[in-house]
Amino acid sequence: MSMKGDTFKHRGMRRKLVAAIREMEVTDEAVLSAIEKVPRHLFLDPAFEKQAYENTAFQIGAGQTISQPYTVAFQTALLELKKGEKVLEIGTGSGFQTAVLLELGVKVFSIERQRELYNKTKPLLTEMGYSAKLFYGDGYKGKEIFAPYDKILITCGAPFVPDALLEQLKPGGIMVIPVGEGRLQEMKRITKNGDGTIEEVNFGTFSFVPMVEEKH
Ligand code: SAH
């Protein structure tokens, strides 16, 4: 879609960013073209417009970060999305990953536990013409009322795989989750088989802000 505040110059920077991601061996062309469509600079403070098209994570307020574009591409590719699927995202943050998912033609349900970010991202996505169901709440609980989900994507570092999220995954569904207690996590793709058994494959080390547990 064409968007206010997105220019020829930005699209040029985006093409370069996508070329850099492709060189890091993300080969899913549907995912790369979705990333090429989303004006990442509109998800950051205008003062950081230039940084928006560098392949790095960046601050978005409330001590949180927008994920590195490569990481967004990598996680999204692991989900093996098909149009029309229901996707639960944990950690809405800036909304950039949400927008990339929507460009791939899936239905997105996304949870954010920082109220400041939820309040900022909800109107931003709407203004950009993106339509997702956004919730302020605790990602460890998932969102039971809209379950089950074809795919579940966790965009913060989880100390363990939350049971509620496994339960809300459809048989045949895929969950992509970085798991680890410290600064680094192991990227896992968890598949729930038709008979309910679980398979897990590791995809290397990444670094996310922590998935925060309830204080009480
Ligand atoms: N997908 C985001 C990534 C933001 S970083 C983007 O593209 O910008 C991860 C986000 O997860 C942060 O905004 C953080 O506040 C949120 N988060 C951390 N713990 C959470 C929890 N328990 N439930 C929901 N969101 C959580």
Side-chain angles (χ1 to χ4, degrees):
M1 63 189 91
S2 98
M3 244 172 256
K4 197 170 114 241
D6 191 29
T7 67
F8 183 74
K9 179 187 78 173
H10 296 116
R11 288 193 286 276
M13 291 195 279
R14 237 157 30 235
R15 267 195 298 279
K16 281 195 193 145
L17 172 64
V18 166
I21 298 170
R22 196 182 274 111
E23 279 191 12
M24 294 174 82
E25 282 163 33
V26 174
T27 55
D28 187 324
E29 287 300 324
V31 170
L32 292 171
S33 91
I35 289 179
E36 198 164 322
K37 285 184 194 136
V38 181
R40 191 168 186 261
H41 65 286
L42 300 179
F43 293 85
L44 297 178
D45 188 291
F48 305 126
E49 187 178 292
K50 227 182 105 241
Q51 284 89 338
Y53 293 111
E54 288 167 8
N55 193 9
T56 53
F58 208 77
Q59 70 211 46
I60 53 171
Q64 306 304 319
T65 54
I66 183 172
S67 297
Q68 181 185 4
Y70 163 70
T71 304
V72 171
F74 192 86
Q75 286 198 291
T76 308
L78 285 181
L79 286 172
E80 295 174 5
L81 297 171
K82 292 175 201 71
K83 285 199 170 57
E85 284 186 331
K86 275 169 70 181
V87 180
L88 176 65
E89 176 191 24
I90 310 300
T92 316
S94 68
F96 176 71
Q97 168 78 72
T98 311
V100 170
L101 293 170
L102 290 168
E103 290 285 359
L104 285 157
V106 298
K107 298 185 195 84
V108 185
F109 303 77
S110 185
I111 308 174
E112 172 57 53
R113 83 175 290 285
Q114 297 278 351
R115 189 176 277 284
E116 179 190 334
L117 291 176
Y118 168 81
N119 287 344
K120 194 164 140 186
T121 298
K122 198 175 160 69
L124 177 72
L125 283 172
T126 305
E127 195 188 309
M128 293 172 83
Y130 287 118
S131 160
K133 281 209 179 296
L134 303 185
F135 308 97
Y136 165 66
D138 176 18
Y140 279 91
K141 299 195 184 82
K143 202 76 201 168
E144 176 90 65
I145 45 167
F146 294 105
Y149 302 95
D150 298 289
K151 308 287 161 69
I152 300 182
L153 173 61
I154 289 83
T155 70
C156 36
F160 53 86
V161 180
D163 284 340
L165 297 185
L166 266 183
E167 276 160 26
Q168 292 173 28
L169 186 63
K170 259 187 204 167
I174 292 173
M175 181 189 313
V176 172
I177 178 168
V179 182
E181 300 262 9
R183 205 178 60 81
L184 299 177
Q185 301 88 31
E186 183 68 30
M187 187 69 75
K188 291 179 185 290
R189 177 166 63 191
I190 294 173
T191 308
K192 192 190 239 184
N193 297 321
D195 62 3
T197 57
I198 299 295
E199 272 169 56
E200 214 179 275
V201 183
N202 288 344
F203 287 91
T205 305
F206 287 77
S207 182
F208 287 82
V209 296
M211 183 169 181
V212 180
E213 292 186 66
E214 285 302 279
K215 289 165 206 122
H216 40 86

